[in-house]
Amino acid sequence: MIKEWEVVIPSLGGDKKRKVYVYLPVEYNSDSEVRYPVMYMFDGHNLFFDDKASFGKSWGLKDYLDNTKTPLIIASVECNREGNGRLSEYSPIDFIFKNGEKIKGRGGEYLNWLVKEFKPYIDKTFNTLSDREHTAIGGSSMGGLMTLYALAKYNAYFSRGAALSPSLWVYGKIPDFVEKSRFGKNTILYTDYGSKEFKNHSAQRKIFSKTCARLTEKGVLITSRVVPDGVHSEASWEKSIPFFMNVLGFKPYK
């Protein structure tokens, strides 16, 4: 089941509304005492329904979770679709986009809203396991970059994450937040990159491998993959769902 409603983030988008999508497990019952872990994800409109997805193809995440009866809540919000609003809200730093436009990084503001307002509301409204151990975060592309940032800077809230095709090209090196952060005990990360994606940005293969190595040195329990023939698309990320769900410990119901 998908619950949908609209929300505003005044500090980022004024009174402009955006959709919230919350997936509830097949056996979810609000009257039950059973509680579930939560995975917060970026680009909520691209996760569940093809007709809502930006490019007409979603991750098909609802179908996977329903078919496997995975006991997990997914809480996600539609990105800012105005101009380069998504790039701004999903970047921890200011950077220059390929068209020469200066993008102001407001990723910290977005995550502050997520952990201080959105997460408390989800925990109050649904039967969640709200502690760090049972709270994950995930996304792709700029959402993948934000997943890494969240694990580094908001580790008190998130113990695990899935960063698919993370946009490390924004930094052009190992991100500063990786170098400067201390990761909490048992921080688990799944990350991958499509083999056909590396050509999209110069030095991306080297940055990805060095970042993965540095995270390992930092004590993160990391699983990294180069996906054969993987590309930068929802159809490709959909194929990674069983991999990252397994790594993060969200196993199908037996």
Side-chain angles (χ1 to χ4, degrees):
M1 178 190 303
I2 304 290
K3 294 281 190 179
E4 299 181 32
W5 66 89
E6 292 181 327
V7 68
V8 296
I9 308 177
S11 63
L12 292 171
D15 58 359
K16 182 173 178 56
K17 298 178 181 179
R18 60 183 88 188
K19 273 286 187 73
V20 173
Y21 300 88
V22 173
Y23 171 85
L24 299 176
V26 172
E27 298 184 357
Y28 182 90
N29 182 343
S30 60
D31 295 326
S32 170
E33 293 184 0
V34 177
R35 294 188 171 273
Y36 299 85
V38 183
M39 186 170 185
Y40 293 87
M41 298 188 72
F42 300 94
D43 295 309
H45 55 292
N46 287 334
L47 300 179
F48 306 110
F49 307 112
D50 290 351
D51 61 350
K52 302 284 182 67
S54 296
F55 302 103
K57 175 68 182 80
S58 73
W59 289 39
L61 192 52
K62 180 181 183 299
D63 292 339
Y64 172 86
L65 295 170
D66 281 352
N67 291 337
T68 59
K69 295 185 178 180
T70 301
L72 173 68
I73 293 173
I74 302 288
S76 57
V77 182
E78 178 183 14
C79 76
N80 185 336
R81 301 207 204 188
E82 290 191 345
N84 283 327
R86 178 178 180 274
L87 293 176
S88 177
E89 291 184 6
Y90 287 2
S91 177
I93 60 168
D94 299 346
F95 69 98
I96 304 297
F97 195 39
K98 59 185 178 182
N99 60 5
E101 182 177 351
K102 295 181 180 179
I103 305 296
K104 179 176 177 56
R106 307 184 73 182
E109 294 177 61
Y110 183 87
L111 283 173
N112 280 337
W113 171 81
L114 191 151
V115 301
K116 294 178 180 179
E117 296 188 43
F118 187 55
K119 183 181 185 303
Y121 180 81
I122 295 298
D123 290 332
K124 179 180 178 181
T125 306
F126 301 101
N127 295 350
T128 71
L129 292 167
S130 61
D131 59 308
R132 173 183 179 272
E133 180 182 355
H134 294 95
T135 305
I137 191 159
S140 61
S141 191
M142 293 297 291
L145 177 63
M146 284 287 283
T147 295
L148 296 178
Y149 182 64
L151 284 182
K153 303 297 288 186
Y154 295 79
N155 199 266
Y157 298 93
F158 307 106
S159 66
R160 57 202 67 204
L164 283 62
S165 305
S167 296
L168 296 167
W169 56 267
V170 168
Y171 282 82
K173 60 178 183 178
I174 299 174
D176 294 343
F177 61 75
V178 170
E179 295 285 13
K180 297 177 181 178
S181 295
R182 296 181 64 183
F183 293 86
K185 184 179 180 181
N186 295 330
T187 297
I188 302 171
L189 171 66
Y190 169 92
T191 187
D192 66 20
Y193 220 86
S195 65
K196 293 185 176 180
E197 290 186 80
F198 286 123
K199 67 178 183 298
N200 295 343
H201 299 281
S202 62
Q204 183 68 18
R205 185 187 299 271
K206 182 180 292 186
I207 299 166
F208 180 71
S209 62
K210 285 187 173 183
T211 299
C212 289
R214 190 70 181 113
L215 286 165
T216 300
E217 293 170 354
K218 288 274 189 171
V220 176
L221 305 177
I222 180 173
T223 296
S224 63
R225 295 173 63 227
V226 175
V227 181
D229 298 319
V231 297
H232 203 79
S233 73
E234 280 71 24
S236 190
W237 297 322
E238 179 179 9
K239 295 176 182 177
S240 289
I241 293 174
F243 292 92
F244 73 73
M245 286 292 179
N246 181 66
V247 169
L248 300 188
F250 302 131
K251 307 295 178 66
Y253 178 79
K254 295 183 181 180

